[in-house]
Amino acid sequence: MRSLSTRHLAGVAGLATVTLLAVASPAFAHVTVQPGAAQQGEYTAVSFRVPDESDTAATTKLEVSVPTDHPIASVATQPLPGWKATVETTKLATPVKTDDGDSITEVVSKITWVADATGSIRPGQFQEFRISLGALPTDTERVVFKTLQTYDDGSVVRWIDETKAGQPEPAHPAPTLTLTKADAAGAAAAVPKAADSAEAAAPASSDGTARTLGIVGIAIGAAGVLTGVLGRRRGAAPTK
């Protein structure tokens, strides 16, 4: 069989690399929320992961809208060196009841981070903007955070398109947090625990059985050896 030339192999490797980058780059370039899922009704912390897509410009501003159609009573930002965070609030037509029985009439509707002289996200870099929020709504399966990303050359990328089931992903999808039901999450958590318990019990049971069989085997072997020795002694006894 004739082997491939070095030039041919290099060409194939180069094509594979270009193809991989073409597939992976768009997914990496999206502004996303991490982790991408949380449980309905819980308090959690998430990060908005923001890559810089430009070859020449740096990201200097990020605006994240917090939806109020399914209000979230508590939203707080985590300090980030090089960036200043400000929040905007909106009054609710219908107050939200907290676990303590208090009524919330005003909620955070927008968070804006602006880079100072030491901040910004430069080409080839990314940054994570972390917030805590809760309680997460129980009457929807997702929270969509429409986001604007501003570069120091004045260009703005609008990450506001909602992904529709059964349709191709839009060019600029909005960061989306998927919400799971509390009972489903609890059942899913219980299954691994039960499996872990079974796996933990199985080795102990197997070890006990193996040990018992081993002892029985040794006893049988010892009996066989003794029988053979006695048989040889009888066979060797002198006849009168």
Side-chain angles (χ1 to χ4, degrees), residues 108-161:
V108 173
S109 57
K110 185 177 180 181
I111 308 172
T112 301
W113 286 269
V114 178
D116 60 23
T118 64
S120 79
I121 311 170
R122 302 191 178 281
Q125 299 179 346
F126 75 94
Q127 183 60 268
E128 292 189 342
F129 301 81
R130 191 168 178 81
I131 66 171
S132 67
L133 67 168
L136 293 173
T138 57
D139 56 350
T140 183
E141 296 180 347
R142 61 180 185 169
V143 180
V144 179
F145 300 94
K146 296 186 177 183
T147 301
L148 303 184
Q149 180 182 8
T150 301
Y151 291 85
D152 60 7
D153 62 0
S155 60
V156 178
V157 180
R158 300 169 61 84
W159 302 97
I160 62 174
D161 300 330

Side-chain angles (χ1 to χ4, degrees), residues 214-234:
I215 293 173
V216 172
I218 292 173
I220 293 174
V225 171
L226 180 60
T227 301
V229 171
L230 293 177
R232 285 197 298 272
R233 287 182 176 180
R234 292 194 188 97

